Amino acid sequence: MNLLNPGVLWWLLPLGGAIVALYLLRMRRRDLQVPANFLWPERTDEIRANSLFQKLKFSWLMVLQLLALLLIGAALSRPQTEQSGLAGDLTVIVLDASASMSASEGARSRFDLAVRASEQIIADAQPGDKLAMILAGPLPEVVFPLSSDPALQRMKLRDVEGTDAEADVGEALRLAAALAKSDDSAQIILISDGAFEEPENFSPGGASVQFVKVGDAKENLGIEAIGAVQTGEGKNVYVGVRNYGDASQSASLSIHADGDLINSSRFDVKPGETWGRTFPAPANSEVLEARLTDGGALTADDYGVELTGSAAAKQILVVTPGSPFLERVLSLEPGVVVDKSGSVPDREKRSSLGPGQYDIVIFDGVPEEEVKSLGILSFASIGPSSPVSSSGSVKNPTFLSASDHELLDGVDLSGVYIADALRLQLKGSATAAADSDSGPLIVARDGLQRQVVTSFRPGNSDFPLTVAFPIFIANTIEYLAGAAASNVLEVATGQSLALPADEVEVEAPDGTKTTYTGKDGRTVVRGFSRIGPHKVKYAGLEKTVYASLKDPLESSIKPRSDVSLGGSDTEGTEAAIRLMDIWKPLALLALLILAGEWFMFARRS
Amino acid sequence: MRDMILSSSEFRLLERLRLNPNKAFPGRVRGERLTTRRGLSIEFADYREYTEGDDLRHLDWNVLARLDQPIMKTYRDEEDLAVHVLIDASASMSFGEPTKLAQARKIGAALCYAALMGGDAVYPAAIGEPPSKPQPLRARSSYPRFCRWANRLGADGTVSLEASVKSFAASSARPGIVMLLTDGMDPNTVSAIRFLAGRGHEVNLLQVLTPMELRPDIEGDLRLIDIEGGPPVDITANSITLKEYDRNLNAHIDSLKTEVLRVGGRYALTTTDEVLEDIVRDHFIRGRWLAA
């Protein structure tokens, strides 16, 4: 039972008290002399005006009036009862396909239960009800658009699959709200275990939001951390396993180096605690994998991977007072770890002793300095070791031509507007990858320390707004990494990867192959949805992309009883429900009681 | 001018009527009534064997001649009838238009006149007033005395009907016919009737009610005050209450009627708006209270 307007109930007390008070008033009776009163029954059904107080007497009229008041108050509070089925003509189902939804619930997965709940919703729909379904995976996907075709909906539903990735439930809900905004009585039904971050900027508008909770399992172990370190005793790999459940658990951990088992261990871990251990690893190993056995209901977090050596993630330092476009693109780039600083740390300067930490240093809006990194990318920043010199600035240079340099694979600069740029002159072995009518736009220099210089800052152009920008950054990182570039990559499950090819074939760990096609020499592989190594073939190359889930939120599989959606807490239900207004029968009953009360009053008066 | 209570047409109506009691009563003076006592009168009652000393004037000579056996004829004695006209003068009789007392007075006058015309002895008495020693009225010439007495009656009696009737019955009043003219608005009226009958009276009860008492036209929340005293009763005059009152009134009337009939008397109910001619015709003649 739900009350839309519970505040009305506060009025029942004073109003009921007023009715009782009326019956507490003593009747002012008219005296009438009679020959004898022994024939008269002493009936005092007080129904008229009153004066002073008296002892409260039982009266059916009072009972009926209080009952009618109660019913009217209840009707005005807009009570609603929960019934299975759909509430409105338009319903958008958001099906959570995150990693936690692949948790095992007995013989079936949590995702299977969610699909079954979706089937029930489709079955409960009335003819003419419009249903749409959005799969909340790493990227929201419309399973079927708004339609009134249950057969089509069931067919599409059979094809949906869960993922081992974190889902963007917020984006899926925003998309659902956009679909539902055409109907004020629309309903958004989220079928999930509630294991997701509170969606930001989500407003259901006039639609009602319902959270159908699935799953019961809560015991789970997950690989929380895996990292490799080179010590004086050799290469070591550290693995941390966290118990996200409520009970102690035992599990086995096996460590693999480049596919070969090198160690294993059996351990116990208490609830809420992390078990960690360091294992020795072969010095020349590149891919270190950890696999957990008996790791609880969720297997997606039973796998971890760490690339080392040349395969390790590229360490990039961005020296800038602030460059949002650049930082955003770098955060989406797989296989890189990005740090940001306003100036070059002393230990990274070439004048300091010892090795540097970063593979690539990017200067944007800060004068270039001599650093120890393998490569340097400078945006309109000239330093002593730059492959170019500057002879002033130019306004609105126009792109003229591009060489076949690998930096510009899949990058089209035609039409890019540049407000301000430096007029560059090449130095030494530097070559112009792209030219403008005012000189080189992009310059590259090969060597022990590769360098790339652009004559303009991204913020002084619309280059970051074009699809060419992330490709250029990816090409530049790969170019600057040089010999360090590897054929293995590590990504988080669900992460997308843009590759310079018109067609990319991805072979998932289970052997299924998917071919992605792009255009303009660029193809985006949308999400590696399963954990483990994926073989990626493109443009005659083959890379292995290792996907793993490192998300404590997904590993914490205990279903949430309620979730915060659109700024309000939404309580979970076992199945899709609709709230039926029951004020009408209550009002009718109140009317009948008032009619009965009137009839009784008329008979007695 | 002296109020004779009855009109000339009512006198004419009553002149040919006599009281018609269910049973006979011994009289004190010779009158026009037959008594059950065997005596020397002119109306033959029975035969009996002759015994020594009998008056030979009453020997049936015809039987003696045929059967050669002396048989004496006996006769019923003719005596006057004691007619007690009891008029309820309690406060409750002040209700109605005309009042119940006025109606009872008129009916009592009619009965008194008929009794006097029949040579009966009329003993008027007021119910609700302290008991007194009534003097009998005999002959039509006594009727004005009845009127003076009756006209003095006011509905201001302070003694209850039961107590007053019992007091009357306990007095040395001759057994006779009692014409009890009352509204019967006393829950113990039945007891009073039983007491009267127990003293050898033939109880003829004429209950006088107002139309308002039979069909009360009241509504609202009322405090009923009994004019003869007692605690007030709070009522809400609605259909339910009125129906219950109607049931109670009918039950009370039925109990009076049943008791009167049980003790060999007569019962009639009239209202204050019923004219005397109708009462005489519909109740007294048809009910054989009076006979021509």
Side-chain angles (χ1 to χ4, degrees):
Chain A
M1 177 76 79
N2 183 40
L3 297 178
L4 281 183
N5 190 14
V8 171
L9 297 180
W10 287 107
W11 287 96
L12 288 181
L13 210 58
L15 289 176
I19 289 176
V20 173
L22 287 176
Y23 283 86
L24 282 171
L25 294 176
R26 193 174 63 185
M27 190 65 65
R28 177 177 290 166
R29 295 179 175 278
R30 185 160 50 92
D31 287 347
L32 180 67
Q33 222 169 30
V34 292
N37 57 16
F38 71 95
L39 297 174
W40 288 97
E42 189 156 10
R43 292 184 63 91
T44 53
D45 300 319
E46 296 179 350
I47 53 178
R48 293 191 189 281
N50 303 279
S51 57
L52 296 176
F53 285 98
Q54 63 173 356
K55 186 180 175 185
L56 183 62
K57 298 174 183 174
F58 180 80
S59 167
W60 278 110
L61 287 179
M62 180 180 70
V63 171
L64 290 177
Q65 286 164 4
L66 289 175
L67 192 58
L69 173 69
L70 188 68
L71 288 170
I72 290 171
L76 288 176
S77 68
R78 298 284 309 278
Q80 295 179 319
T81 56
E82 294 180 352
Q83 298 188 358
S84 63
L86 302 181
D89 298 334
L90 192 152
T91 303
V92 182
I93 305 168
V94 176
L95 185 60
D96 186 357
S98 64
S100 61
M101 290 293 287
S102 63
S104 172
E105 297 285 346
R108 305 174 74 98
S109 74
R110 197 171 278 181
F111 187 75
D112 291 337
L113 298 178
V115 169
R116 185 185 286 181
S118 303
E119 288 173 345
Q120 188 59 47
I121 292 172
I122 294 172
D124 287 341
Q126 301 293 317
D129 284 354
K130 288 185 176 178
L131 261 72
M133 175 178 275
I134 296 169
L135 190 68
L139 292 170
E141 177 188 343
V142 176
V143 178
F144 52 81
L146 283 172
S147 71
S148 308
D149 186 352
L152 173 73
Q153 292 160 0
R154 288 193 194 93
M155 188 182 77
K156 294 285 188 183
L157 188 59
R158 279 195 289 271
D159 295 336
V160 298
E161 290 181 350
T163 69
D164 291 337
E166 181 188 8
D168 192 348
V169 176
E171 187 59 32
L173 286 171
R174 285 189 286 274
L175 181 57
L179 280 174
K181 70 179 179 184
S182 61
D183 192 330
D184 286 341
S185 64
Q187 190 179 21
I188 298 172
I189 300 176
L190 170 64
I191 306 175
S192 171
D193 55 6
F196 53 82
E197 288 184 354
E198 181 180 347
E200 294 178 351
N201 302 322
F202 166 62
S203 171
S208 61
V209 181
Q210 198 179 128
F211 167 44
V212 175
K213 187 188 77 172
V214 291
D216 293 311
K218 55 188 176 183
E219 301 304 331
N220 181 48
L221 299 180
I223 295 176
E224 185 182 39
I226 178 170
V229 62
Q230 189 72 37
T231 66
E233 298 173 355
K235 185 181 284 186
N236 288 323
V237 58
Y238 169 81
V239 180
V241 177
R242 185 174 179 81
N243 185 348
Y244 294 94
D246 294 341
S248 295
Q249 286 193 71
S250 297
S252 298
L253 182 73
S254 58
I255 307 295
H256 303 259
D258 295 330
D260 298 327
L261 178 66
I262 59 169
N263 212 326
S264 69
S265 180
R266 183 81 185 172
F267 61 92
D268 294 326
V269 58
K270 293 179 180 175
E273 294 186 357
T274 299
W275 173 88
R277 186 171 168 185
T278 301
F279 300 92
N284 58 349
S285 57
E286 284 194 333
V287 181
L288 296 171
E289 296 170 285
R291 297 182 190 275
L292 203 58
T293 307
D294 303 331
L298 182 65
T299 56
D301 59 356
D302 294 346
Y303 175 77
V305 63
E306 175 70 4
L307 303 184
T308 63
S310 62
K314 304 299 174 284
Q315 304 289 320
I316 298 177
L317 174 66
V318 181
V319 184
T320 177
S323 182
F325 293 116
L326 183 61
E327 290 168 28
R328 170 72 177 163
V329 167
L330 287 172
S331 69
L332 295 174
E333 190 64 24
V336 299
V337 176
V338 180
D339 290 329
K340 177 187 159 191
S341 174
S343 60
V344 178
D346 288 343
R347 58 187 172 84
E348 294 298 323
K349 292 178 180 175
R350 189 175 291 171
S351 56
S352 65
L353 296 175
Q357 178 186 347
Y358 295 100
D359 299 310
I360 298 169
V361 176
I362 300 175
F363 294 94
D364 180 27
V366 174
E368 181 190 314
E369 294 182 50
E370 291 183 324
V371 292
K372 300 172 184 173
S373 63
L374 292 172
I376 300 172
L377 169 61
S378 300
F379 290 104
S381 179
I382 309 297
S385 61
S386 294
V388 292
S389 61
S390 170
S391 59
S393 61
V394 294
K395 294 286 187 184
N396 304 328
T398 304
F399 168 73
L400 287 182
S401 62
S403 68
D404 58 354
H405 198 281
E406 61 189 288
L407 282 175
L408 298 182
D409 282 348
V411 177
D412 182 8
L413 292 173
S414 60
V416 171
Y417 172 77
I418 301 169
D420 293 304
L422 296 176
R423 188 184 297 276
L424 302 179
Q425 285 88 39
L426 300 177
K427 285 167 60 178
S429 58
T431 57
D435 283 305
S436 72
D437 56 354
S438 303
L441 279 179
I442 300 173
V443 175
R445 184 178 68 186
D446 214 346
L448 290 177
Q449 184 181 50
R450 290 182 171 181
Q451 273 192 277
V452 174
V453 179
T454 67
S455 64
F456 57 94
R457 289 190 66 197
N460 288 337
S461 71
D462 63 0
F463 188 34
L465 303 179
T466 67
V467 295
F469 186 65
I471 299 174
F472 170 72
I473 293 298
N475 291 346
T476 303
I477 290 171
E478 190 159 339
Y479 170 74
L480 294 176
S486 172
N487 287 330
V488 291
L489 274 175
E490 180 196 350
V491 295
T493 47
Q495 191 171 349
S496 297
L497 187 63
L499 295 169
D502 289 329
E503 188 175 281
V504 177
E505 182 188 277
V506 177
E507 182 181 344
D510 60 1
T512 57
K513 293 181 180 176
T514 308
T515 302
Y516 298 85
T517 55
K519 62 178 183 179
D520 301 331
R522 177 175 178 264
T523 299
V524 176
V525 179
R526 291 190 174 276
F528 294 85
S529 60
R530 297 296 176 193
I531 57 170
H534 296 69
K535 293 191 185 307
V536 179
K537 295 177 182 174
Y538 66 101
L541 299 173
E542 180 173 330
K543 285 192 174 185
T544 302
V545 177
Y546 292 89
S548 65
L549 173 72
K550 291 177 187 170
D551 190 334
L553 195 62
E554 295 294 337
S555 294
S556 182
I557 61 169
K558 183 179 181 180
R560 279 57 161 178
S561 57
D562 55 58
V563 293
S564 181
L565 298 174
S568 61
D569 286 342
T570 304
E571 195 173 345
T573 58
E574 293 300 323
I577 57 165
R578 56 179 172 168
L579 294 173
M580 283 280 292
D581 267 332
I582 58 168
W583 70 268
K584 287 179 181 174
L586 288 177
L588 183 64
L589 193 56
L591 196 63
L592 288 174
I593 287 175
L594 284 177
E597 189 267 349
W598 177 85
F599 178 71
M600 186 175 284
F601 174 83
R603 278 193 69 204
R604 293 183 172 186
S605 58
Chain B
M1 183 179 174
R2 189 175 296 164
D3 183 3
M4 300 302 286
I5 302 177
L6 299 175
S7 65
S8 54
S9 61
E10 290 165 343
F11 279 123
R12 279 195 300 275
L13 172 67
L14 294 165
E15 275 177 352
R16 59 185 178 84
L17 299 173
R18 301 289 181 272
L19 291 183
N20 182 33
N22 281 334
K23 58 183 181 180
F25 296 92
R28 288 186 175 165
V29 297
R30 295 186 69 83
E32 296 183 2
R33 295 282 165 189
L34 297 178
T35 176
T36 52
R37 286 195 301 178
R38 304 289 188 267
L40 299 176
S41 187
I42 58 172
E43 186 168 337
F44 172 77
D46 204 353
Y47 291 99
R48 66 173 172 81
E49 291 186 357
Y50 172 78
T51 58
E52 191 174 310
D54 283 344
D55 189 347
L56 294 179
R57 287 178 298 176
H58 298 292
L59 185 70
D60 192 331
W61 296 101
N62 294 327
V63 174
L64 180 63
R66 286 201 295 272
L67 303 177
D68 193 21
Q69 187 174 353
I71 296 298
M72 296 298 291
K73 287 196 285 189
T74 62
Y75 301 88
R76 272 188 272 184
D77 204 356
E78 291 180 347
E79 297 177 341
D80 62 344
L81 174 66
V83 178
H84 302 281
V85 178
L86 304 186
I87 296 178
D88 188 354
S90 64
S92 66
M93 294 294 282
S94 63
F95 284 84
E97 187 60 41
T99 63
K100 290 186 279 187
L101 178 62
Q103 184 76 328
R105 182 189 294 134
K106 192 164 193 171
I107 296 168
L111 292 170
C112 173
Y113 187 75
L116 293 175
M117 290 299 290
D120 297 324
V122 175
Y123 295 84
I127 301 295
E129 291 185 347
S132 60
K133 178 77 173 174
Q135 293 299 314
L137 304 176
R138 287 193 172 87
R140 189 165 64 174
S141 59
S142 301
Y143 177 72
R145 283 174 55 200
F146 177 86
C147 292
R148 282 198 298 276
W149 169 82
N151 284 329
R152 281 201 304 271
L153 284 180
D156 48 9
T158 54
V159 184
S160 72
L161 185 142
E162 182 193 26
S164 189
V165 167
K166 285 184 175 177
S167 174
F168 165 79
S171 68
S172 57
R174 282 173 57 197
I177 185 167
V178 171
M179 296 296 182
L180 181 56
L181 308 178
T182 178
D183 57 2
M185 285 299 176
D186 186 319
N188 300 315
T189 307
V190 169
S191 168
I193 292 168
R194 195 175 298 137
F195 206 81
L196 275 176
R199 293 290 173 160
H201 296 291
E202 175 185 324
V203 182
N204 288 349
L205 172 62
L206 182 71
Q207 190 172 12
V208 183
L209 295 176
T210 65
M212 189 70 172
E213 286 170 317
L214 290 172
R215 291 173 297 281
D217 183 20
I218 57 174
E219 66 173 357
D221 299 299
L222 303 169
R223 179 180 295 270
L224 302 183
I225 298 171
D226 192 332
I227 196 169
E228 295 182 6
V233 174
D234 290 345
I235 67 159
T236 298
N238 51 34
S239 61
I240 299 170
T241 305
L242 293 177
K243 278 182 182 173
E244 196 163 342
Y245 167 80
D246 191 51
R247 278 197 302 273
N248 292 343
L249 177 64
N250 287 328
H252 180 63
I253 290 172
D254 286 346
S255 68
L256 297 181
K257 186 177 181 180
T258 303
E259 185 61 23
V260 168
L261 296 178
R262 190 184 69 79
V263 298
R266 295 189 178 98
Y267 171 87
L269 171 66
T270 186
T271 56
T272 54
D273 58 352
E274 195 170 11
V275 295
L276 185 63
E277 285 83 352
D278 292 343
I279 295 171
V280 170
R281 184 183 64 248
D282 295 340
H283 300 305
F284 292 164
I285 297 176
R286 193 169 293 166
R288 300 185 64 78
W289 291 44
L290 299 175

